Amino acid sequence: MFATLREKSWLNSPSATASGGFNSEISRKTVALRFFLAVISVLFSLFIVTFLARSQFPDFQALAGQAWQPFTNPQQLWVNTGILLAASVAIQFASSSAKNNRLLAANIAIALCGLFTLAFIGAQILVWQHLIDLGYFVASNPANSYFYLFTAIHGLHLVGGIFVLLRLGLRSTAQTQNSLIISTSLCANYWHYLLLVWVLLFALLTSTPDTYKTLAALCGF
Amino acid sequence: MKLVIALLLLVIGTVAFHFLSPWWFTPLASNWGAIDDTIGITFWITGIVFVLVNLFLAYCVYKFRFKKGHKSDYEPENKKLEYWLTGITTLGVVAMLAPGLVVWAQFVDIPEEAKIVEVVGQQWQWGFRFPGADGKLGSADNPFVSTTNPLGINPSDPAGQDDRLVLSSELKLPLGQPTKVLLRSKDVLHNFTVPQFRVKMDLVPGTISKLWFTPTREGRFDILCMELCGIAHYAMRGYVHVVSPQEYNKWLTTLPTFAETQQGGSGDAVAGENSYISCGACHGQQGEGNASMNAPKLAGLSDWYITRQIKNYQNGIRGSHKDDIFGQQMVGMAQILADPVTLRNVAAYISTLEETQTTNTVEGNADKGASLYVTCGACHGRQGEGNFALNAPRLAGQQDWYLKRQLTHFKKGIRGTNAKDQYGKQMILMAKMLTSEQDINDLLTHINTF
Amino acid sequence: MEHVAIADQVEELHNPSSFISKYVWSQDHKVIAIQYGITAILVGLVALVLSGLMRLQLGFPESFDFIDPSSYLQFVTMHGMIMVIYLLTALLLGGFGNYLIPLMIGARDMVFPYLNMLSYWTYLLAVIVLLASFFVPGGPTGAGWTLYPPQAILDGTPGYDMGIVLMLLSLAIFIVAFTMGGLNYVTTILQARTKGMTLMRMPLSIWGIFVATILGLLAFPALLVSAIMMLFDKLLSTSFFMPAIVSMGEQLDYTGGSPILFQHLFWFFGHPEVYIVALPAFGMVSDVLAVHARKNIFGYRMMVWAIVAIGAMSFVVWAHHMYVSGMHPAFGFFFATTTLIIAVPTAIKVYNWVLTLWRGNIHLTTPMLFAIGFIFTFTHGGLTGLFLGNVVIDLPLSDTYFVVAHFHMVMGVSPILVLFAALYHWYPLITGKMFNATLGKLHFWCTFLGTYAIYLPMHYLGFLGVPRRYYAMGTTDFIPESAQTLNASITVAAILVGLAQLIFIANVIWSIFKGEKSGPNPWHATSLEWQAEQIPPAHGNWGEKLPEVHRWAYDFSVPGARDDYIPQNMSNDDVPLEPGQTLQIREEH
């Protein structure tokens, strides 16, 4: 990259035949997705940084750490993680089926991915319901606020993904195999990425105050 | 050619404007001469760069203007020249930054011997607190704030009992004493600025911010809020008087301690009834007001407002303007209530008076008035109910002819011009948004609907 | 149906047939650019009128009964927000970015045309939501364009109820629109360049737009985060930014939040935003200067490096907006240092612009006048930035009119002069007509001299200590009467400058219908957009074959060549030479 930036482009001999940046469709969509994931990463990173900063204020009561707190033993969240993992596996399967030209299997896997994702979102809403039943409302403590906030933003990204899946499923028969390969593999990247984000959020939201303190200290708060 | 002349004139004009401008920093009144010096250095460096770059620009535009048959030079880059320019620029930047950081280090490092004063901001007033004999401020926080504890001092902290409070926007500070200012806000962001001291800092609810300075010149200086804090931001003013240490110490002992402010009893309305008789002669025995006597309605007003106004009359803060004929009458009448207990009782009695219906005398467009009232309502309440926390009296139910006269007086500077009348000063600023008599009528028509 | 336009031989362009698919639901980057441009300019005119109202109040207080303290703050807020986000960002990236990227890099369209169209319509929705806030109870928010909590969502600030909610909503929608557009711009630049168009052969306009877009993609999330969290605080009573507060004498339910956290987030977006506006302007002005001085841009590589360096550094200077915010004062050392370091690459850009004129053959056309005007105003604005960036000087000057004057000079006047330079420069390309040069020059003189008459004196009000965002100054002990005279004269200048923009609008509209035909390459420019077969370029931009690039974008006045420019798509063999000469391309002078 530094070599590129040092090119003396007015000396027009050597690179006269350079191919520019001209590339096939696969890399274009991949590039766009990579930038998009970078944008989402910044979004979640900033949320997390504010979370760590806010966690050091005295009124912050973590959701885990003591026996009576809801996520000291987060069974329900483990189940949800399993569901999202299943969605991720399904879309990966769709991608490899598309490559092997097994279109029916790919379509079924796409549908399964969508269903698992919906199930995950539903299960997250059940967690909300559970928290509300326990009296952990959105405004009663910043830790609660962040739990609802994080899960909602993460869920919205999945909802966006479902729309893409829907379009993919509806058009998969009409598509060439090539474009189906590209689409499923991009979707797979997106789902894996959101699974990763969820695992990070899961770990963060169920950590103990001591962990927050350490992390916040590392960030310099 | 026109452009060359324009560029030359702009450079010359800018430099001339700079040197001839009567608009410049107000004379310094604190130890922060170093800030002014840093600005001086920056001015010279940036000024020279500004003149050189733009003169060279003008020269290029003149010298290399389009000539037929002429061809530009071909010059992709010139590393040596670019390195030189980068180097010189870096030197210039260091020359500006280094002194800046040195002075900032002084600002960050608050001297041990600095005496503490606390500044408390709220929409749109200032309050101040000094430590008592123990030299320590008691802890304080917004949840402690109440009508009897406006600064939110922790009542159970022994260190806070002897703190001395200033519940007005005027502060006094001793000459030559390094002063550490602790800043705290009850509601939104504010900023404590005294232009002559050069330093400023935001007041942030939930945290305590700091700054320090040593006043070096006696006199009265404006305190301004410089962080947008809502509708009346521009009216959030105060004064700091820099006085001799002797005068300062004397003043300090006149301030009430926190413990003292917690003792004051409430007035006795029954006892006040008797004293009210002479007031009632004009204002009506039910406090219903009397337009022919130019006496406004009192029923419905709160005791704290009555008390403040009577005290203002007694102290020449209100009614001392030569054009305030009715105010001057009240100055005389207010002496009847010279005894604080009597005043408290009368005020308590007035606040028990039953509301009566008033008759409207102005006519205007209530809808237009409603939009004007948005600003007023920020302090006086959306329904004109008044708000003690903002020192804003009740407007609902008041006779419109009286309000009209007061607004006119504020606009003309007949009321509120006294240096000690801090709320009056705000009202002068606010009343100026009413540019015509029609505006006032519209506004009052709206207030009449409450 | 999705139509994928490909910069390749494979032609699968969306072929619009009806008027609606051609000009309304268009996927052509040029039409979308014009849609962005017109929307941005229209909403910018609203903001211009708002600033006029503000100036009337400041210049002639107690004269206008329709401006009260609440509406004044609303004018201030909406003026700032519209100008920064909905005009400058949208016009520079959505407008010029869209128009120039495919043409300058030799592509047929953006790589995702459908997404591009969606980006515009989402932007329009954001504008509508924003403007809707003028018509809700309480009116638009008056919290200042920085929207600082707590005041933004508390009683006592205009529009604290519906106004602020719509504002935040509109910003969120805008960010979605920008992200869709931005992904398109970077992918197109990285992936759809034509044969021979290496990164270092791209015109600086594209470099500026490219880096600015990356900044936008990475910085706007910070604004989104703060907007979402503030919406939570407002609508769900959470306490992200809200500490315990006694508002209007009433204890609120909030507890423990941190208003300064919001400011960090806001400026983590807000400072790169300055460069999101400035970098495309830097790029475009470089191209205008080179074309009209008939000379290569001086130190092209240094210019690219400076753009990249400024872009990268813009993420580590944000807290220089917060020196007096009550944050830990030790931050002041770090941020003052980074801020003054960023002055070095910026200064180099200025030097190189001037050195481009050195030994040039300067045609003082309308776009060139604006470009040279920009060098002057930007030098001025950049230098005053050295005052405010130096933490200790910021103490007396922050929150005064010095700040207002500085940022208007550096990110109001300067980018807008570039925008005008660019609009005049590319007007023949966009419309196929020449604008009226006399009107154009008149517009320049009014705008250039007028804005300087507004902002130079304003700095001195700042030195005096006059606070910004004050509805009226009233009387103080330290501000002389004459300051009001100065204020009044600033207002007169501002009104004149505002009116002068009518000349521009009239010129643009008149010339579309009555202007002379411009011909294919009226400025004799080298870059690809002027080499299209048709002016304005047809749908798909190029004929049957994509152009092939053989050189950088700045081969002006090459020794040995007959003409004083060689288009980027001309190979060495095709260059017409002076009799008996060869092309002499040298490494250094």
Side-chain angles (χ1 to χ4, degrees):
Chain A
M1 173 158 142
F2 287 106
T4 315
L5 287 179
R6 280 172 47 210
E7 181 196 338
K8 293 183 178 174
S9 51
W10 59 91
L11 304 172
N12 61 1
S13 40
S15 45
T17 52
S19 66
F22 175 101
N23 257 307
S24 61
E25 195 185 352
I26 176 158
S27 43
R28 266 190 252 142
K29 287 193 171 164
T30 314
V31 167
L33 181 69
R34 276 187 200 146
F35 270 100
F36 185 52
L37 294 186
V39 172
I40 305 176
S41 304
V42 175
L43 185 77
F44 278 105
S45 311
L46 288 169
F47 272 126
I48 289 172
V49 167
T50 67
F51 174 88
L52 291 174
R54 189 71 179 80
S55 72
Q56 298 313 298
F57 284 73
D59 64 325
F60 186 93
Q61 285 165 357
L63 292 172
Q66 304 290 336
W68 63 85
Q69 282 161 332
F71 293 136
T72 302
N73 186 11
Q75 282 163 349
Q76 213 175 344
L77 294 183
W78 280 115
V79 173
N80 295 4
T81 311
I83 301 176
L84 191 60
L85 180 68
S88 217
V89 170
I91 192 74
Q92 182 63 40
F93 184 72
S95 170
S96 59
S97 303
K99 275 178 202 149
N100 298 329
N101 206 13
R102 295 195 309 248
L103 290 187
L104 183 65
N107 275 328
I108 292 173
I110 291 173
L112 273 178
C113 173
L115 287 177
F116 281 129
T117 310
L118 281 176
F120 172 79
I121 294 169
Q124 295 282 74
I125 293 172
L126 285 181
V127 176
W128 284 9
Q129 194 57 54
H130 177 64
L131 280 180
I132 291 168
D133 291 344
L134 289 177
Y136 286 79
F137 305 111
V138 60
S140 37
N141 194 274
N144 309 1
S145 315
Y146 270 107
F147 183 84
Y148 289 99
L149 177 67
F150 275 130
T151 45
I153 300 287
H154 180 257
L156 275 179
H157 282 87
L158 284 172
V159 171
I162 286 177
F163 277 105
V164 177
L165 272 194
L166 265 182
R167 252 177 49 145
L168 190 61
L170 290 177
R171 293 175 44 219
S172 61
T173 43
Q175 269 179 329
T176 58
Q177 189 204 353
N178 201 21
S179 76
L180 189 67
I181 293 177
I182 297 167
S183 308
T184 47
S185 112
L186 292 176
C187 281
N189 285 344
Y190 186 67
W191 253 262
H192 300 337
Y193 175 82
L194 283 183
L195 176 66
L196 179 75
V197 170
W198 166 245
V199 170
L200 284 176
L201 291 179
F202 182 11
L204 184 75
L205 291 167
T206 57
S207 291
T208 59
D210 291 337
T211 320
Y212 295 145
K213 205 171 172 188
T214 318
L215 286 173
L218 284 175
C219 292
F221 297 125
Chain B
M1 229 18 224
K2 262 185 286 181
L3 185 62
V4 180
I5 296 168
L7 287 173
L8 286 176
L9 285 179
L10 283 180
V11 172
I12 297 167
T14 305
V15 175
F17 187 91
H18 175 70
F19 285 108
L20 299 177
S21 161
W23 306 289
W24 192 239
F25 281 104
T26 55
L28 183 71
S30 78
N31 59 317
W32 287 115
I35 293 182
D36 289 8
D37 297 340
T38 321
I39 293 173
I41 296 173
T42 310
F43 241 114
W44 278 105
I45 295 177
T46 56
I48 289 168
V49 174
F50 174 77
V51 171
L52 287 182
V53 167
N54 287 310
L55 287 183
F56 183 66
L57 175 68
Y59 172 74
C60 287
V61 174
Y62 169 73
K63 172 89 189 191
F64 305 107
R65 66 190 182 281
F66 172 67
K67 292 182 201 97
K68 216 171 159 59
H70 185 266
K71 222 172 175 184
S72 302
D73 223 13
Y74 179 75
E75 188 181 28
E77 65 180 28
N78 182 338
K79 271 198 196 137
K80 217 166 124 191
L81 178 62
E82 285 172 277
Y83 288 145
W84 268 103
L85 287 172
T86 311
I88 293 170
T89 309
T90 311
L91 273 184
V93 164
V94 171
M96 287 182 279
L97 180 63
L101 292 185
V102 170
V103 180
W104 182 249
Q106 294 166 13
F107 177 73
V108 172
D109 182 28
I110 301 173
E112 292 284 322
E113 73 274 18
K115 289 244 174 84
I116 293 173
V117 53
E118 184 187 54
V119 174
V120 184
Q122 72 160 75
Q123 283 170 323
W124 292 285
Q125 286 150 25
W126 300 99
F128 307 95
R129 179 162 69 123
F130 293 93
D134 59 356
K136 264 169 58 187
L137 282 176
S139 60
D141 202 355
N142 286 342
F144 297 118
V145 172
S146 68
T147 49
T148 53
N149 184 3
L151 296 187
I153 297 158
N154 181 353
S156 53
D157 184 350
Q161 301 303 320
D162 62 350
D163 290 353
R164 296 200 177 261
L165 314 185
V166 183
L167 298 174
S168 82
S169 299
E170 291 205 40
L171 171 69
K172 288 189 185 184
L173 289 175
L175 183 73
Q177 168 65 51
T179 305
K180 172 180 178 177
V181 185
L182 301 178
L183 304 155
R184 187 159 66 80
S185 167
K186 282 156 69 174
D187 37 41
V188 301
L189 303 175
H190 301 283
N191 184 303
F192 178 78
T193 303
V194 179
Q196 288 86 346
F197 292 166
R198 297 294 187 264
V199 288
K200 61 161 73 80
M201 193 55 73
D202 277 4
L203 286 66
V204 185
T207 55
I208 295 171
S209 44
K210 302 176 189 101
L211 59 83
W212 79 275
F213 55 81
T214 308
T216 54
R217 189 151 63 82
E218 286 193 19
R220 185 183 83 164
F221 307 107
D222 289 280
I223 301 173
L224 302 169
C225 175
M226 284 234 198
E227 181 66 62
L228 180 57
C229 59
I231 290 170
H233 167 53
Y234 72 103
M236 183 167 170
R237 316 267 177 109
Y239 285 119
V240 51
H241 300 263
V242 176
V243 296
S244 67
Q246 297 77 11
E247 191 184 338
Y248 165 78
N249 286 329
K250 224 172 87 192
W251 174 71
L252 210 52
T253 54
T254 66
L255 297 176
T257 65
F258 174 61
E260 281 164 15
T261 62
Q262 299 305 294
Q263 284 158 3
S266 50
D268 179 355
V270 181
E273 186 171 359
N274 240 339
S275 320
Y276 180 75
I277 294 171
S278 47
C279 312
C282 293
H283 290 280
Q285 288 308 327
Q286 287 307 308
E288 67 272 22
N290 186 339
S292 58
M293 308 279 291
N294 288 299
K297 179 170 155 182
L298 300 179
L301 291 174
S302 309
D303 50 355
W304 55 266
Y305 181 70
I306 299 282
T307 312
R308 186 169 85 214
Q309 294 312 309
I310 295 296
K311 280 185 180 162
N312 280 353
Y313 281 124
Q314 289 167 347
N315 299 327
I317 296 171
R318 186 175 173 185
S320 52
H321 193 283
K322 65 175 171 40
D323 292 333
D324 189 0
I325 303 152
F326 309 114
Q328 284 164 4
Q329 290 177 359
M330 272 305 293
V331 172
M333 300 306 290
Q335 301 310 325
I336 301 171
L337 303 171
D339 172 32
V341 180
T342 320
L343 173 55
R344 205 153 65 203
N345 293 346
V346 169
Y349 175 70
I350 291 173
S351 64
T352 63
L353 291 174
E354 288 282 324
E355 273 263 27
T356 48
Q357 199 63 39
T358 51
T359 45
N360 301 341
T361 61
V362 299
E363 251 177 67
N365 180 338
D367 286 341
K368 272 195 75 186
S371 81
L372 287 166
Y373 186 76
V374 171
T375 303
C376 317
C379 289
H380 291 278
R382 300 279 170 244
Q383 292 298 313
E385 65 273 23
N387 189 339
F388 170 66
L390 288 111
N391 293 295
R394 178 178 153 121
L395 301 177
Q398 185 53 275
Q399 288 150 319
D400 50 15
W401 60 265
Y402 172 73
L403 293 177
K404 184 168 181 174
R405 181 190 297 151
Q406 297 312 308
L407 284 170
T408 317
H409 280 187
F410 280 127
K411 265 173 71 75
K412 290 186 180 158
I414 296 172
R415 184 176 170 189
T417 29
N418 186 288
K420 289 205 154 70
D421 190 356
Q422 54 171 317
Y423 308 116
K425 271 204 291 289
Q426 287 186 313
M427 275 309 296
I428 289 178
L429 283 165
M430 305 309 296
K432 283 185 176 165
M433 75 181 222
L434 304 165
T435 52
S436 62
E437 195 188 343
Q438 190 55 47
D439 280 354
I440 296 181
N441 288 345
D442 293 344
L443 178 70
L444 293 176
T445 311
H446 175 68
I447 292 176
N448 282 339
T449 63
F450 293 146
Chain C
M1 274 297 283
E2 186 196 29
H3 299 277
V4 185
I6 300 174
D8 202 342
Q9 301 84 343
V10 194
E11 287 303 304
E12 205 198 307
L13 274 176
H14 161 78
N15 276 317
S17 44
S18 68
F19 176 84
I20 290 205
S21 63
K22 218 167 173 176
Y23 298 110
V24 183
W25 304 110
S26 175
Q27 299 183 19
D28 184 330
H29 72 100
K30 297 183 289 298
V31 179
I32 295 172
I34 293 168
Q35 290 173 326
Y36 253 114
I38 291 176
T39 315
I41 289 175
L42 286 180
V43 72
L45 284 176
V46 174
L48 185 72
V49 171
L50 292 178
S51 71
L53 293 173
M54 263 153 67
R55 279 311 325 173
L56 283 179
Q57 166 62 27
L58 291 173
F60 310 99
E62 300 167 50
S63 317
F64 303 97
D65 68 347
F66 54 93
I67 310 174
D68 57 37
S70 314
S71 52
Y72 175 78
L73 289 178
Q74 291 168 326
F75 299 159
V76 172
T77 306
M78 297 310 272
H79 164 76
M81 195 57 104
I82 292 177
M83 286 297 193
V84 172
I85 309 267
Y86 298 85
L87 171 70
L88 287 172
T89 310
L91 186 52
L92 283 161
L93 293 175
F96 280 99
N98 247 320
Y99 203 92
L100 294 178
I101 291 172
L103 279 165
M104 280 189 152
I105 64 169
R108 295 206 182 274
D109 205 321
M110 289 289 175
V111 290
F112 309 116
Y114 184 78
L115 200 63
N116 205 17
M117 176 184 80
L118 222 53
S119 166
Y120 168 71
W121 291 103
T122 316
Y123 162 66
L124 186 65
L125 178 66
V127 170
I128 291 170
V129 173
L130 176 86
L131 294 179
S133 74
F134 280 96
F135 303 98
V136 295
T141 175
W145 89 280
T146 46
L147 306 180
Y148 280 176
Q151 57 259 44
I153 57 174
L154 286 186
D155 196 356
T157 298
Y160 70 95
D161 219 5
M162 288 178 81
I164 183 71
V165 171
L166 285 180
M167 178 83 253
L168 295 171
L169 212 58
S170 168
L171 284 174
I173 299 171
F174 180 89
I175 293 166
V176 172
F178 179 84
T179 307
M180 293 195 278
L183 290 174
N184 235 327
Y185 309 154
V186 284
T187 315
T188 305
I189 292 172
L190 286 177
Q191 296 290 313
R193 299 194 309 279
T194 189
K195 194 171 177 195
M197 181 62 88
T198 62
L199 285 175
M200 293 303 275
R201 280 180 174 174
M202 297 195 307
L204 287 170
S205 296
I206 299 298
W207 267 107
I209 290 167
F210 178 53
V211 175
T213 307
I214 294 179
L215 294 189
L217 287 175
L218 301 182
F220 271 115
L223 183 62
L224 185 61
V225 166
S226 49
I228 291 173
M229 288 167 69
M230 186 148 49
L231 277 176
F232 265 59
D233 280 359
K234 173 75 200 166
L235 301 174
L236 301 173
S237 309
T238 56
S239 300
F240 291 123
F241 303 132
M242 305 293 279
I245 281 172
V246 191
S247 171
M248 305 285 153
E250 231 178 287
Q251 293 276 358
L252 302 185
D253 286 338
Y254 297 112
T255 165
S258 162
I260 294 184
L261 191 58
F262 174 90
Q263 300 182 23
H264 279 296
L265 281 172
F266 183 87
W267 289 113
F268 186 77
F269 145 76
H271 198 78
E273 169 63 28
V274 174
Y275 291 100
I276 291 169
V277 171
L279 292 182
F282 288 175
M284 295 196 299
V285 81
S286 308
D287 287 348
V288 172
L289 285 168
V291 171
H292 297 270
R294 315 307 300 156
K295 189 163 172 266
N296 64 280
I297 191 78
F298 181 83
Y300 172 81
R301 295 193 299 163
M302 204 65 134
M303 293 299 255
V304 172
W305 300 340
I307 287 178
V308 175
I310 292 171
M313 290 217 53
S314 70
F315 282 102
V316 289
V317 296
W318 79 88
H320 67 215
H321 298 269
M322 300 167 57
Y323 289 145
V324 297
S325 71
M327 68 172 177
H328 196 292
F331 285 139
F333 295 105
F334 175 77
F335 285 102
T337 309
T338 53
T339 303
L340 264 68
I341 290 175
I342 215 171
V344 177
T346 314
I348 288 170
K349 294 199 74 78
V350 175
Y351 302 147
N352 285 3
W353 287 321
V354 186
L355 288 169
T356 300
L357 301 179
W358 174 252
R359 292 186 177 154
N361 193 22
I362 300 168
H363 295 248
L364 285 178
T365 56
T366 309
M368 190 60 160
L369 288 176
F370 276 100
I372 293 172
F374 159 83
I375 299 180
F376 181 85
T377 58
F378 184 74
T379 308
H380 195 283
L383 290 169
T384 52
L386 292 166
F387 286 74
L388 295 171
N390 203 346
V391 51
V392 75
I393 304 181
D394 190 57
L395 284 174
L397 292 181
S398 71
D399 296 310
T400 67
Y401 269 96
F402 187 87
V403 178
V404 179
H406 159 71
F407 71 69
H408 275 92
M409 211 65 190
V410 83
M411 102 175 273
V413 175
S414 298
I416 281 178
L417 289 181
V418 176
L419 275 173
F420 285 130
L423 285 166
Y424 284 113
H425 179 75
W426 280 293
Y427 187 81
L429 180 70
I430 298 169
T431 62
K433 302 285 178 66
M434 281 310 275
F435 53 84
N436 181 310
T438 315
L439 285 181
K441 285 178 182 170
L442 183 65
H443 175 221
F444 166 75
W445 287 110
C446 294
T447 309
F448 177 57
L449 298 178
T451 46
Y452 202 60
I454 299 172
Y455 294 111
L456 176 72
M458 203 183 273
H459 289 90
Y460 290 80
L461 288 178
F463 289 131
L464 201 52
V466 180
R468 65 191 283 209
R469 292 169 168 174
Y470 264 36
Y471 166 76
M473 203 51 234
T475 44
T476 58
D477 291 345
F478 69 100
I479 299 175
E481 290 278 323
S482 59
Q484 190 49 47
T485 321
L486 195 60
N487 244 329
S489 69
I490 292 175
T491 297
V492 172
I495 301 290
L496 292 178
V497 170
L499 290 176
Q501 306 317 306
L502 294 175
I503 306 174
F504 167 72
I505 291 170
N507 196 356
V508 164
I509 295 174
W510 184 84
S511 303
I512 287 179
F513 299 105
K514 304 275 178 170
E516 277 177 51
K517 282 227 173 350
S518 66
N521 187 358
W523 310 120
H524 295 180
T526 56
S527 45
L528 279 187
E529 79 273 22
W530 296 100
Q531 321 305 333
E533 287 186 356
Q534 264 175 286
I535 297 289
H539 190 65
N541 294 344
W542 318 101
E544 292 203 347
K545 267 192 74 183
L546 287 176
E548 194 172 315
V549 169
H550 298 277
R551 56 191 68 249
W552 70 337
Y554 300 98
D555 265 343
F556 289 103
S557 309
V558 180
R562 187 194 66 198
D563 301 327
D564 65 354
Y565 71 108
I566 309 174
Q568 275 193 284
N569 57 347
M570 186 178 280
S571 72
N572 274 356
D573 302 336
D574 297 338
V575 177
L577 301 173
E578 296 255 17
Q581 297 259 0
T582 52
L583 270 192
Q584 299 164 34
I585 293 170
R586 286 158 299 172
E587 182 151 344
E588 280 189 30
H589 186 62

